[in-house]
Each structure stands twice: as C-alpha cells, then as structure tokens.
Amino acid sequence: MKTRWYRKSGVKGLLVLLTIVFVTVACAGAGASVLIMSKGVQPLDSKNYVDSQSFQDNMYSLSHTIINAINEREILDQADDGELVDLAELNKGKTLTHKNTSGLAYKAGNLYDWAKKSSWDRSANVLICRQPDGSDYYMYYNDFADKITTGELKFVFGSDEDGWTENAKDILAILSGKEYTYYGDANDNIGIRNDGVEYVTDADGNVVYTDVYNYESSGNNDAPLKEAYKPDGADSILDVVNNSEEWKGNISKAYEYLYTALVEYSDASYGEKVLKTYATGVTNVNYMYVDTKSDKVYTNIKGITSANYAKKLDELTSSGDPLMLIAPDLQDCALGFSNIADWTVSYWQSMIENTGLGEENYLYFVSVDKDFPVLDRIKQEKLVYEKFEPWLVPIMVISVVSLVLALAGLVILTIGAGRNNEDEKVHLNFLDRWYTEIVAGMIFMIWLLGTSVIVQTMDFEDIRMVWKVTGFSILGIWCGGWFLTGWLSLVRRIKARSLWRDSLLRHVLILVRKCFSKCNDLVVFLGGNMISRVKIILLFGIFVFLQFMFSVMTVNGGSAFAFLLLIVMDCAVLYYLVKKAWGREQIIAGLKKITDGELQYKIPTEKLSGEQEQVADYINHIGEGLDAAVENSLKNERMKTELITNVSHDIKTPLTSIINYVDLLKRENPEDPKIRGYLEVLENKAQRLKVLTEDVVEASKASTGNITLEMTDLNFVELVHQVIGEFEEKFEERNLTMVVHFDEEEAIICADGRRLWRVLENVFGNASKYAMENTRVYVDVKVDRPNVQLSLKNISAQPLNISADELTERFIRGDISRNTEGSGLGLSIAKDLVQLQGGEFKLYLDGDLFKVTIEFKMK
C-alpha cells in the first residue's frame, strides 16, 4: 500500500497546529490592520503625513470645529458685558439695539455668566393666581406662603367644605407639591377651590384671588428657572410678566425666550473654550476667517488685522506650509494640500456654508506649520501616523499570506481526514459517533459563547492596541480550533457515509417508524392463532363478560344466586392468580440461589404447571451448564497459573547461567571498550529479565490468590520508617525532597510482613522512578481509628495520560513513551497483595498529581 505523507498522524497534528497558527496570524493581522486604519492610516497612502489623506481629513475636521466655534461665539461680538440684550430681539434673530424694547432684557455679561453654570435650576415653584376680573397674576410660592403666614392674604372656606383640608398649612403643603400636585388650568377650576377654599382675600377682607394653582410647563424650554440675575428694570421675570403689556399672561414664552438665550450664550462659552485650544503658541494650526463684507477677522495669527489681512495672505500662501484657502468663488481658492481631489473645494465650501457662518462674502484660510513645533492634537496624530504607517502594508500582506496558507492546510487536512496509511477505512473518533445535530449545535453554541465573551472583553475604548490585537489572536485561535473540529468531523462523517446514519433526525424518524411497526406487531400479535394468546384473550373476555352480567343481575334483580356465582367466580380467579404468583416466586427464588453460586440447585417442579413448569425446567438445565462453565474456567485459570510458573522456572535456569557467564566475562577485563559496553548492556537486560520474570510470577499468584500469607502483628508506622530509610539514597539521587508526617500514636495491624514490605517497596520505588526531579514527595501516616492510612503524593515527571483504574492494570505505565526499566506490574502487584491482606489500595490522579493511599484496620 502506497504511503501518503498527509495521512500520517504526526503530519496531521502538525497541520492542525499550523492551520490554527495561520488563522490566528490572519485574524491578528486583520484586527491590527483595522485598528491601524482607524488611526487614519490608509493602504498605499503617502508615507509623509502632510501628504496623506488622513492629514486632509484631520484638517477638514479641525476646520469644521473652528468655524463652528466662531459661529457659536458670534453673539459675544454683538453685545459687550454691560450692554442690554432684549430676549425678544435675540429670539427673533433681529439686530440687537442694546435697549429694553420688549420689556424683558438682561445684561449680556449676566446672561454669559448664568449660561456658564453647569446646570440651570428648574425647580422654581410658580403659582398662577386667578384675579376676580379673570386675569392671571404670577407669584413664586415662597412669596405667596409668606403673605399667608403674615396675614397679608387669607384663605376663606365656603359652606360646602368637604373636609379635605382644615387650615392654611394643609393648603400651602398642597401648593408646595410636598403632598399633592394638581394639574389643569383656570377653565378646569382645579386648585385651592377643590380643597374647600372659596377664595383668597387681603387683610381687609377684599377678594384678591378666586383660585390659586401651580404653573406646569409643557417641556424643558418653558420650565420655570430659579433666577440667578434680575431682568432689566424689574425684580424678577414674574414682575415683567405681571406688569408688562407685551408679556402679560405669556409666562411660557418668557421662560422659553430666556432658555433660548441661555443656550446661545452656553454655546458661545463652549466656542470660546474651543478657540482657546487653537490660540497662538498652543497649536501648529494657523487659521483666519474673514467676513469680506464687514472686514471682520477671526484668526490666531499674530499681526493680522482687518486692514492688512489681504497683504499678509500672500505671505502665508507662499510659506511652503500645507494650506487651504477657501472662498465662495472657485477661482479665488488656493489648494496647498498634496494629492487634492477635484471635489475637495466644493466639499469644503459646503462645510463652511452649512455652519451658517459662510454666505457669499467670506474667506477662510488654514495652514499647518510643517515643522510641528507644538505638541498639539494634530502633531499627536502625526506621531501616531508615522508610528503605524510602516506596519500597515506588511501586516496586511502577512495576514493575506497566512489566510492562504490556512486555506491550504484546510484543504490538505480535508483530503487526509479519517484516513491513515494502514488501510483505506475511514476512522472515526468519539466525537464523530455522536448525533450530527447535537455535535453541530454544541460546537456552534460553544463557539458563539466564547466569541461573545472575547468580543465583549475587547469592546472597551480605553484598552490598549496591543491587547486588542491579542484579543484578535485569541479570537483566531478560538474560531480556528472550533471550526477545524466541526469541519473535520463533518468531512469524516461524509467520507464514512455516517452523516445521515448518525443523524438525530434519522433516529427520530426510525423511532416513529418503530412505533408504527410496534402497533402493527400488536395487531398481528392479537390477530395471531397461537393457543396461549387466544386462550388469554378469550378467558379475559369471558371473565369481564360474566363479571358484568352477574353484577347487572345482582344490582337490578337482587338475585342471591347471581351474587353467589359472582363471588365463586372471583374467588376462582383469585386462586388462579395467587397460584401463578406463588409459581413466579419459586422461580425467582431459584434464580437468586443460582446467581448466588448454588449452581447445583434445582427448582421443584411438582406444584408448577403449564409454562411455569417449562420455564423452571429450562432454568434447572441452565444451572447445570453454568456449573460446567465455572468448573472449566477454574481449570483454565489453574492451567494458566501453572503455565506461568513452569515457564518462569524454565526461564530462570538459562537466565542464571547467562548472568553468571556475563559476570565471568567481565572479570576477564576485556580491553576493547565496545566489548565492555556490550557486556554492561547484556548484564542490565538480563537483570531486568530476571526481575520481570519474578514480577510476572508474583502478579499471577497475587491476582489468583495463590499465595500463602503468614499473618502476624506488625507496627505499621515502624515498617514505613524502615522503607523510607531504604529509599533515602534513591530519592537524593533524583533531588527529591521527602516531606514526612506521622501521627505519634503507634498502629498495630495484622498482615504478612514480607508481602507488606513488597507493597511499600513497589509504591516508594514507583515514586523514586517517576516523580519529577527537584520536587517534594509527601508521605503521611494517619491514625483514624479503627483504621490507619498511608498516603504518598508526588508530581509526575511525565503527563499522566490514563485513568487511575488503568494504572493498576498489568503492564501499564503512566506514559507509554517512558524508557525506564519498570515492568508495569508494580502497582498491580501492590494492589492485589493489599487486598489479599484485607486492606484497601486506592490511586488518585489530578493532572500531574499522583497520590496512592493504603489503608488497614488496626488491632
């Protein structure tokens, strides 16, 4: 048979590993590329930052921020701090006259300071007081409550008082909103009148207000604000609304205009902060915006005024720095960026005009000092660009190459999946034998869960790029590993034609078909002509019919004879059932005795009849057959034991001669070093064969119990001490530190001293051979009446790739790759000898931890 390299298990394992590595590199490269491109670096872009598209985009974004800030702070140029700002003029977009034209005006400085506060208090409680003439008067709750408290105003209760409130404190609590809040308007008449109050009078008893209720805003824009500053010519905004003809009754509009003014000045404050970040000396950016109609100039360039900006512009455009000069007319534009596109000019013009600042008469200039003397945002972006730009293309190439190699590995693994060079059969592993849908669902759910966790872990903005790339690598390992697991399992199933055979859907359909088949079998069974079935059905039918008939006759006719027949029939059926039950009990009792080992037992058949008698006869013959089989098995076991003993004895004679002659040859002191080496190997192998022969005989005798034990009283603790002394040198040779802990109490057990010594020798010898060098071996003897327990723990030098039960089988060692001189029988012999002496031998494996416990009952 032709050997194919891609079918070798080692090659497959290497290909799986390389494929996952390539997928990991591809994912890490793709993630790194995306992260680098998020920093503004584009594939095949200019290596020089100022010539890159990222630089143009950053300049566009920066210019948009500057122009927005200029537009937002424009209101600060319309009025000085001491000048008045009429809220109606400001809200309607009129030119500010710096006069109180509408009756509601504030000083510009007050509005600016008020707007800069972090939050505006909207918790003012305003009351609407309905006057007798139907008009409204607005008052702060605190002022109204003070007047009620001092007696300047009084509540007058009507005769139809409903008992909700009984004094002014309750009414004030309601109006304060601490107990209840009432909503509505004057037409609904919801307010104090609903609490039994008829009206409010002054100190002289004159009716002042017919109703009082809370003002409720329709939204944030007209919410009542706690006033930080007074309006011009008034004590409060309520004073303006109550007394001004233009604002009378328009409290919502007044608050809305005030809120709008504060928003504009808040935006202006933010614009001021933005422009300060681009002030002279703190940025590499030079900008200038000119309203060419009014010659108003906004710039951070020293020495530029409205009178000389045109002359200075020629110097700026010839400086050699990257720049952009934009005006409404395309012919007036100067493009100082490299690789500029044709649509860029209109793109910038649209940006400026969309801010609301640029109309038909403007000029915008922006440039960057190409030496970048200041560490500002754009220089930081430059440093990032220069740091990552050289990596982008190589990373993308590596990612693509890795992806191609991963696909190539996948193809090769697909071709060789399930095959080896020994035969042409498709070999399935344990996962391939599970139901197809269950495996697919399990792999998908595990993959989805792990992917979600990894993606959520990476979804933090402040996480460093190296950790994000690491996250992409982990994602590649996770996805690649589970994809290969599922894909190769699918390929093996297809090759073995077990995809549908092991499908859960197929088994469900088979189960449905079996259900229908069973129903059909039941019909066939019931329709069959076998005597026993027909007899049971007929007898049951006759019994039910007679039972029904006798019951009807007894109930309807009151016939004593029918009732007597019913009792006789039931008693007969009961006797029949009890007899059958007794027969079953006899058969079960006989089976139990045969199972317990009484193979010669015979079930008595004298009182049995029918099928039960036939079954008992069959069982009696089974007992005879089992007896013969057990006797034959014991005979074979004795023959095996005798064979092992005889062969071992026959091997010992020539083996002893070989050992003696090797010793004689060594005494001749041959000069050739090769001959001395050969003799050394021959001696070691002969000694190992001798030990193995002895171990085989010992294991055979121990497993069959063919050993004569000399049970005496032994001090178990002292015996363990002696064994430790014997193995101290061997432990020191491998740098193993023994940590011993013994209970002070002595432990006397009944055991065979020579056999128990062999057990301890095997256990400690196992530790000295297979424990990892430079580690500790823990030996504990614990007296826990009525038992004493020896515990030995160590870390294995090689992986423990089998279970604890397998490790105590014959010729089994922890790692099949070991080249030690062990026979693989030590633990098996130790376990059998301990059990023969009435003790308990247990192994415990956890990773590389090896633990053995030996427990005996104390006398």
Side-chain angles (χ1 to χ4, degrees), residues 19-89:
T19 302
I20 294 177
V21 169
F22 290 138
V23 170
T24 303
V25 173
C27 288
S33 301
V34 171
L35 293 173
I36 291 175
M37 286 189 286
S38 69
K39 302 294 184 182
V41 182
Q42 301 297 325
L44 305 179
D45 203 352
S46 174
K47 294 184 179 298
N48 189 359
Y49 174 66
V50 296
D51 296 332
S52 67
Q53 183 63 42
S54 176
F55 176 72
Q56 295 183 31
D57 294 340
N58 288 334
M59 289 302 298
Y60 175 87
S61 175
L62 181 146
S63 297
H64 186 272
T65 302
I66 291 174
I67 293 172
N68 264 332
I70 293 173
N71 183 45
E72 288 172 348
R73 70 161 310 282
E74 189 178 18
I75 190 174
L76 300 180
D77 297 329
Q78 298 180 21
D80 295 333
D81 289 348
E83 294 180 325
L84 290 176
V85 176
D86 187 274
L87 298 190
E89 292 177 354

Side-chain angles (χ1 to χ4, degrees), residues 789-815:
Q789 184 185 85
L790 165 67
S791 171
L792 185 144
K793 294 183 289 186
N794 65 269
I795 300 298
S796 174
Q798 299 294 333
L800 297 175
N801 50 5
I802 59 176
S803 66
D805 292 337
E806 292 177 314
L807 200 57
T808 55
E809 294 180 5
R810 300 179 188 177
F811 304 105
I812 295 294
R813 289 182 290 172
D815 192 335

Side-chain angles (χ1 to χ4, degrees), residues 75 100 207 305 316 380 414 437 551 622 786 802:
I75 190 174
N100 189 354
V207 177
T305 64
L316 294 171
Q380 290 176 343
T414 301
E437 293 86 350
S551 299
I622 289 176
I802 59 176

Side-chain angles (χ1 to χ4, degrees), residues 132 144 147-148 150-156 199-209:
F144 181 82
K147 290 184 178 183
I148 293 293
T150 59
E152 186 177 346
L153 296 177
K154 295 181 179 180
F155 292 120
V156 177
Y199 42 79
V200 179
T201 66
D202 59 14
D204 298 331
N206 299 318
V207 177
V208 182
Y209 308 121

Side-chain angles (χ1 to χ4, degrees), residues 10 110 255 429 497 505 510 622 656:
N110 290 344
Y255 278 126
N429 60 29
R497 298 180 180 178
L505 177 60
I510 291 174
I622 289 176
T656 302

